[in-house]
Amino acid sequence: MPNDLVTLKALSAELNFTLAGGKIEKIYQPEKDEITLNIRSKGQKYNLVISCNAQNPRIHLTSFKKENPITAPSFCMHLRKYLTSGIIESINILGEDRIFDIAIISKTEMKDIVKLHLIAEMMGRYSNILLLNSNFIITDAIKQVSFDAATKRCVLPSCKYTMPEQTKLLPSNKSGITELLNDFKGGDLAKYLCNGISGLSFITAEEIIFKAGIDKNVIPLNVDKLVLYINKFFNIFGSDMYSPCISTDSDGNSLDYFVTNYNSQNLTFKKCDNLSCAIEALTLKKDIDERHREKAKHLFNAIKKYKNRNQKKLQKANEKLNECDKMDEYKKYGELITSNLYKLKKGDEYLQCVDYYNEEMPEITIKLNPQYSPSKIAQDYFKKYNKLKRTLDIILKQIDETEEDLKYIDTVEQTLTNCNLSADLYQIEQELYQIGAIKKMKTKMPKSAKEGSPILYEYENFLIAVGKNNFQNDKLTFKTANGGDIWLHTLNYHGSHTVIFTDGENPPDNVITFAAQVAAFYSNGNQNDKVPVDYTLKKFVKRNPNGKPGMVTYTNQKTAYVRPEQYKDYKKEN
């Protein structure tokens, strides 16, 4: 993804065109490394997201609203104190580097007018968000660093803001770039440009060479033309070349975003209204997935440990079960010794006798302990038999319980992939705590927090609900749904409870098929082309006697084989 100075400079110009003169109304910090500014500009409301996530740094307008924490972090409170009701004066690139400077005119508590700078550094793992005063003194930073040996900078309040050192030619240095190109002696021209010019990605360098029509094998180069196109790309916003777009594969999936069609890459392009739309189309899902993994990491780890623990427990139980195979043999030995006591005496090491338990009645040899009397040896064999008999009952029960626990934890693991809200994750953490997968709850759900709710769909005037965890499955099936509603669940796959609320009507087959496809999507069989989904009336669904939430038995079902579908367009806002 060409997140280089060419792209960021065009983005800053686009944001400046849209937001300059706008008023900052609200400020949020939904993630530890991300802020959102609600801005009213030119009669419209915009949400500007700034993320300094090491894997996905970005700044763009967004239509997606994230869940905000109940208590705002300290950096968010700092921004609210100084920037709320501030007016955006300009948005520019600072020092021809991947650094956004959002200049804001604000007022102090004493109503004095001040100029502040919200700095967004989009530099991979060194990305950061800082607030500076008019003298470029840091007032606070979302990532505070005492001293970084790699960047040779100190990022702490009251420190003077210094930009990262530049070792390459700046794009505005035309004479230096001309001299650089005159020194080209052959080889990979795109790599040569990247190594010499600041803020230029390899893919953009290739496109500049392609657009300029330069043959890199012909030396000397057409330097003037190449410098012209380098300048065009670094000032592409507002030109005829500027056309924000995304590249797609044969299935229409988004691959990358660009400021113009990069024809040198032989890709298929889809035009976007603006660069913010292109960036959001590429980064939103990646960000959501990454945030979910981060928030749910301790839960996934707890599930993994719980499964490993129970699998080891099951393995040991099966080993014990194999030992119990000798149970009947010990009983037989005890009875054969008892029936042959008349010919045995203490000190005998073996008993040779006829095996009356075998139809062919062969002669067998039973080893004896010469230190004990024959009757004592027989009693020992009976004791071993009785012990293994008791063990067998316990082991069989333990195996059933352990297998049931493994099935249940699989359902928790599946539902965990469907949860994004902290309330949903909290409910799953509760489940894991109740079954002993975690010893202590890491998070506490504030009373004011919104309770997690099922995923809702509306299709053909029928409301369809999908539980996101076992607590929601339990509530949906046994408290929300009525006996005449239709209940669905994947057959032989772990998945969510799905309910069609019929309101006394008989839903047509296409509605049942729709709900079955959704149920198949929210299961661990969603990678298959065809998934069997059972459906029955809710009145035929009963709780599982084991008492675990979400575990049920059902009867009178029919089975539909469907292709998993998410059907985003039919989702309802909760």
Side-chain angles (χ1 to χ4, degrees):
M1 181 173 306
N3 197 33
D4 56 11
L5 185 57
V6 169
T7 306
L8 296 181
K9 191 175 180 183
L11 177 61
S12 71
E14 184 181 277
L15 293 176
N16 184 66
F17 178 80
T18 305
L19 301 178
K23 180 181 179 181
I24 300 174
E25 296 186 331
K26 294 180 181 179
I27 302 170
Y28 300 104
Q29 188 178 339
E31 311 287 354
K32 64 179 181 181
D33 52 11
E34 178 179 314
I35 64 170
T36 302
L37 306 181
N38 290 357
I39 303 165
R40 177 174 285 278
S41 177
K42 302 176 179 66
Q44 298 288 327
K45 284 188 176 182
Y46 299 96
N47 292 324
L48 179 67
V49 59
I50 307 174
S51 172
C52 59
N53 180 268
Q55 306 300 322
N56 191 23
R58 67 199 196 285
I59 174 172
H60 58 87
L61 298 176
T62 182
S63 57
F64 181 75
K65 293 183 179 180
K66 285 191 174 183
E67 180 187 22
N68 293 301
I70 301 301
T71 304
S74 60
F75 183 70
C76 179
M77 297 300 292
H78 183 80
L79 295 183
R80 287 177 179 177
K81 177 180 178 181
Y82 290 101
L83 300 184
T84 301
S85 299
I87 304 298
I88 296 176
E89 183 182 59
S90 63
I91 301 177
N92 294 302
I93 291 294
L94 192 63
E96 295 186 82
D97 205 344
R98 293 170 295 169
I99 303 173
F100 283 77
D101 176 12
I102 305 175
I104 301 166
I105 304 298
S106 188
K107 290 183 179 181
T108 66
E109 293 176 343
M110 303 301 293
K111 305 301 180 182
D112 295 326
I113 296 176
V114 294
K115 184 175 181 179
L116 303 171
H117 298 268
L118 184 62
I119 302 296
E121 298 179 337
M122 302 286 104
M123 299 183 296
R125 64 192 182 100
Y126 298 111
S127 300
N128 207 343
I129 304 172
L130 310 92
L131 184 64
L132 316 179
N133 64 18
S134 57
N135 296 317
F136 273 67
I137 301 297
I138 300 171
T139 64
D140 203 357
I142 203 167
K143 296 178 184 177
Q144 295 187 4
V145 184
S146 56
F147 181 78
D148 193 307
T151 59
K152 296 182 174 58
R153 295 194 304 158
C154 184
V155 184
L156 288 173
S158 300
C159 291
K160 181 76 175 179
Y161 177 74
T162 57
M163 293 179 56
E165 293 182 1
Q166 281 283 12
T167 58
K168 300 179 183 179
L169 292 171
L170 296 179
S172 60
N173 188 352
K174 291 184 181 180
S175 60
I177 293 174
T178 301
E179 186 178 342
L180 176 74
L181 295 175
N182 283 326
D183 291 339
F184 180 67
K185 298 296 189 292
D188 192 332
L189 180 56
K191 188 175 181 180
Y192 183 76
L193 290 176
C194 291
N195 291 335
I197 303 173
S198 175
L200 197 62
S201 65
F202 182 78
I203 192 172
T204 301
E206 285 189 320
E207 185 63 20
I208 289 173
I209 296 167
F210 179 83
K211 285 277 200 306
I214 300 295
D215 187 347
K216 60 185 178 182
N217 296 317
V218 177
I219 299 175
L221 298 169
N222 187 340
V223 173
D224 291 340
K225 192 172 184 181
L226 193 51
V227 171
L228 174 65
Y229 271 86
I230 290 173
N231 184 62
K232 278 187 175 182
F233 265 78
F234 277 105
N235 296 279
I236 196 170
F237 180 76
S239 69
D240 294 338
M241 289 173 55
Y242 188 62
S243 179
C245 58
I246 57 175
S247 60
T248 59
D249 60 17
S250 56
D251 295 327
N253 298 314
S254 301
L255 299 175
D256 215 335
Y257 63 83
F258 300 91
V259 292
T260 188
N261 289 10
Y262 275 37
N263 296 322
S264 61
Q265 305 302 311
N266 296 317
L267 298 170
T268 301
F269 294 95
K270 179 182 177 182
K271 189 174 181 180
C272 297
D273 293 337
N274 50 59
L275 195 51
S276 282
C277 290
I279 295 173
E280 184 172 46
L282 260 296
T283 60
L284 182 59
K285 186 179 186 304
K286 178 184 176 182
D287 179 70
I288 292 172
D289 292 343
E290 185 179 327
R291 302 295 187 183
H292 179 260
R293 283 193 298 270
E294 184 180 335
K295 291 177 181 177
K297 184 178 179 181
H298 70 290
L299 300 180
F300 278 116
N301 288 338
I303 289 171
K304 184 179 178 181
K305 289 179 181 178
Y306 185 84
K307 289 174 76 172
N308 289 339
R309 187 164 70 245
N310 277 277
Q311 284 166 354
K312 288 179 181 178
K313 183 178 177 182
L314 187 62
Q315 183 182 353
K316 289 182 179 179
N318 283 321
E319 290 172 358
K320 282 283 187 182
L321 191 62
N322 291 333
E323 290 181 19
C324 292
D325 290 342
K326 296 181 180 179
M327 177 179 68
D328 292 332
E329 188 176 289
Y330 290 149
K331 181 182 179 183
K332 179 177 73 173
Y333 287 170
E335 292 183 349
L336 287 175
I337 292 171
T338 301
S339 63
N340 288 278
L341 283 176
Y342 66 94
K343 61 180 182 181
L344 290 172
K345 63 181 183 301
K346 186 176 180 180
D348 289 343
E349 295 183 357
Y350 298 97
L351 167 64
Q352 286 188 332
C353 62
V354 175
D355 183 2
Y356 299 105
Y357 292 89
N358 191 317
E359 292 181 358
E360 298 179 2
M361 298 179 64
E363 192 172 85
I364 63 170
T365 300
I366 301 174
K367 189 175 180 179
L368 306 175
N369 189 336
Q371 295 181 354
Y372 300 109
S373 66
S375 60
K376 173 73 167 57
I377 295 170
Q379 289 302 315
D380 286 345
Y381 275 119
F382 285 129
K383 285 180 181 178
K384 286 181 181 180
Y385 163 74
N386 289 322
K387 182 179 180 180
L388 289 178
K389 185 180 179 182
R390 292 191 300 271
T391 301
L392 179 63
D393 294 336
I394 295 170
I395 290 297
L396 289 175
K397 183 179 179 182
Q398 188 180 80
I399 288 174
D400 287 342
E401 290 176 350
T402 305
E403 288 178 343
E404 194 70 25
D405 287 343
L406 286 170
K407 287 180 183 178
Y408 179 74
I409 202 67
D410 282 339
T411 67
V412 177
E413 186 174 28
Q414 169 59 32
T415 56
L416 184 54
T417 61
N418 300 330
C419 299
N420 288 313
L421 296 176
S422 58
D424 298 328
L425 294 174
Y426 175 78
Q427 287 182 326
I428 289 180
E429 191 172 359
Q430 277 185 311
E431 283 189 70
L432 295 176
Y433 176 74
Q434 286 183 1
I435 63 174
I438 54 177
K439 293 182 179 179
K440 188 177 179 181
M441 295 282 289
K442 271 195 171 186
T443 56
K444 292 184 178 180
M445 199 66 182
K447 294 181 180 179
S448 57
K450 183 180 178 182
E451 183 182 351
S453 56
I455 303 166
L456 298 179
Y457 288 85
E458 188 170 3
Y459 181 73
E460 299 285 337
N461 295 323
F462 284 90
L463 185 64
I464 299 164
V466 184
K468 287 186 284 188
N469 55 58
N470 284 315
F471 282 152
Q472 289 184 20
N473 288 339
D474 219 38
K475 183 177 179 180
L476 176 63
T477 300
F478 297 110
K479 291 185 179 180
T480 309
N482 293 319
D485 294 332
I486 294 179
W487 182 90
L488 304 94
H489 195 279
T490 46
L491 175 65
N492 300 327
Y493 291 103
H494 301 298
S496 299
H497 293 197
T498 304
V499 172
I500 305 173
F501 295 99
T502 61
D503 198 22
E505 298 182 25
N506 291 322
D509 291 344
N510 64 320
V511 174
I512 295 174
T513 300
F514 176 93
Q517 288 179 304
V518 170
F521 179 83
Y522 291 103
S523 75
N524 62 356
N526 57 16
Q527 301 301 315
N528 299 331
D529 292 332
K530 291 288 183 181
V531 176
V533 178
D534 285 343
Y535 62 96
T536 186
L537 293 178
K538 182 265 167 186
K539 65 182 179 181
F540 297 124
V541 183
K542 307 298 180 186
R543 293 181 190 273
N544 195 307
N546 65 18
K548 288 186 173 67
M551 304 296 282
V552 299
T553 59
Y554 54 90
T555 56
N556 297 76
Q557 72 272 18
K558 295 180 181 178
T559 305
Y561 290 82
V562 297
R563 182 184 68 255
E565 292 286 354
Q566 188 176 11
Y567 288 121
K568 290 183 179 179
D569 293 340
Y570 292 92
K571 274 188 178 181
K572 287 189 65 178
E573 292 293 332
N574 290 39

